[in-house]
Structure formats: C-alpha cells, structure tokens
Amino acid sequence: MNYQINYHAPDPMAYIALRVEGGMSEKSQQAAEIGLKNALFTVCIYDQDMLIGLGRIIGDGGTVFQIVDVVVKPSYQGKGLGKVIMTELMTYLDQHTYAGSYVSLIADGPADKLYAQFGFTYTYPYSQGMFKMYN
C-alpha cells in the first residue's frame, strides 16, 4: 500500500483516537492540543486522510530527549510501520543531538524488541523508570 508520511502535528482528536485504539491512555483534547504543538519532532503516517501511525520526540532540544506516542493502528500492525516511525525518529535524533544527550523511552510489551533494533537497552538494574499520571 501507498502511505503518506508527514512531519506536522496531527489533529488532536485523531491523535487521541489513535492512542486509545492502540491501547494507550486517553488524553484530554486540551492536553493534546498543547502537547502536540510543543513536540520537538512529530512523524505521522496516513492512509488517505486516516491517521494510522505516529511517533513524537519531546524534550529540551539539547540535553534530554524522549521518544513518546509510538503507535500504529492495530489493523495496520505487522506491516513494518513501527520500524518506519522509529527510523524517522532516529534520523531526527542523529541530526539534532549532542555529545552526552540522553534519549529515553518507555517500552510497553513486545515493543522493546523494536526499540532494541535501534540501540535502546534497559536502564535496569542501574535505574528504573517511574511515572505519575494525573487524573
């Protein structure tokens, strides 16, 4: 199939719907609008006008970067789109990081195998990820 890739923030409602369909937590429309416009880099994959894949990089643009929201619509999984998203994200990082820049991500489920292909390793036992979610 012929998919389109673009590097602009998606529609907030399409973003929220894709996250939920992909098994990720739901975000409010207000949070999505603010967060999407403040990303350092966003890659979206579309089939016609439908958002089917997404990945973003957030951070301070120098010392810390975090890969977030890597998600592919379930009906499109298994077609290599996650790898396409990660390749785009890594290309951005290769061009915009500095000696000592720290790039992190949270690997859910079997996605750790995808991230390992791009050189990511577990922080454990040296450190462990922590989080707090506001309701």
Side-chain angles (χ1 to χ4, degrees), residues 20-32:
V20 170
E21 188 174 353
M24 300 169 87
S25 63
E26 186 171 359
K27 303 296 182 191
S28 73
Q29 183 175 349
Q30 183 180 19

Side-chain angles (χ1 to χ4, degrees), residues 115-126:
Y115 303 135
Q117 293 175 38
F118 292 90
F120 288 87
T121 60
Y122 292 104
T123 59
Y124 181 83
Y126 308 105

Side-chain angles (χ1 to χ4, degrees), residues 6-51:
N6 81 36
Y7 307 98
H8 305 287
D11 171 78
M13 296 309 292
Y15 161 78
I16 294 166
L18 179 61
R19 282 183 55 87
V20 170
E21 188 174 353
M24 300 169 87
S25 63
E26 186 171 359
K27 303 296 182 191
S28 73
Q29 183 175 349
Q30 183 180 19
E33 289 171 356
I34 294 168
L36 289 169
K37 73 179 180 183
N38 285 303
L40 295 173
F41 180 74
T42 301
V43 59
C44 296
I45 302 178
Y46 291 88
D47 185 354
Q48 305 298 325
D49 292 332
M50 180 173 45
L51 180 64

